[in-house]
Amino acid sequence: MIELRELTDEHHEIAERFWQFFLHDLSGFRDSHPDEHGSFKRRHLEPFLVRDADRVAYLVYGPTGPVGFAFVYGLASHVRRFDQLFIVRSQRRAGVGRAAAEATIRRHPGRWEVGFQNENPTASRFWRRLAA
């Protein structure tokens, strides 16, 4: 069982920590490296830390607390898009990611598009199975 909670100012630190885990995971598929302080770039996270009618950020909560995030944009258009979906490794393959994606889609009915890294076979399989 998961719960989506809209990201609020007091929970930005959680999103920022998860963002670092997310980019660490992606560094295996992209040529990305942490900076001199050991942090990955936040530039794609920043738009989700401020209120915007076209975007929404959710923290995904499981029974033990926060386990990931779902970032969506395109709310003001005819097509909604997942910007990012991240679930901590210990919760993967237990249906948490699927439940989070489905809950997000239910909250924002309409047409959806999902971009993902084709070079990441796990993400590719996940999104293709979800679409089917």
Side-chain angles (χ1 to χ4, degrees):
M1 181 75 170
I2 64 101
E3 178 186 355
L4 292 181
R5 297 183 192 171
E6 195 164 339
L7 182 61
T8 58
D9 292 344
E10 61 267 16
H11 293 106
H12 280 188
E13 282 185 32
I14 296 169
E16 291 169 4
R17 278 189 220 107
F18 283 161
W19 185 254
Q20 292 299 306
F21 296 148
F22 170 71
L23 291 181
H24 174 265
D25 282 357
L26 289 183
S27 71
F29 304 99
R30 297 180 177 171
D31 187 25
S32 62
H33 309 279
D35 63 18
E36 65 275 6
H37 305 289
S39 296
F40 290 93
K41 294 179 183 175
R42 293 171 29 120
R43 117 182 116 92
H44 293 292
L45 170 65
E46 299 290 337
F48 291 95
L49 298 178
V50 295
R51 294 265 180 211
D52 182 332
D54 192 48
R55 299 177 189 277
V56 65
Y58 296 107
L59 289 176
V60 179
Y61 281 77
T64 62
V67 295
F69 59 68
F71 296 166
V72 175
Y73 70 98
L75 299 179
S77 71
H78 297 293
V79 179
R80 286 105 180 91
R81 294 179 176 88
F82 271 100
D83 187 72
Q84 309 296 340
L85 176 68
F86 170 77
I87 302 298
V88 296
R89 288 182 181 181
S90 66
Q91 299 298 301
R92 295 178 192 168
R93 299 186 189 215
V96 175
R98 182 178 189 88
E102 289 174 346
T104 304
I105 291 167
R106 279 193 305 275
R107 282 204 184 184
H108 305 284
R111 186 169 166 229
W112 280 81
E113 290 181 357
V114 176
F116 55 87
Q117 305 82 23
N118 278 318
E119 62 275 11
N120 179 344
T122 304
S124 181
R125 280 191 305 274
F126 172 83
W127 289 112
R128 285 189 170 94
R129 271 190 252 148
L130 185 70

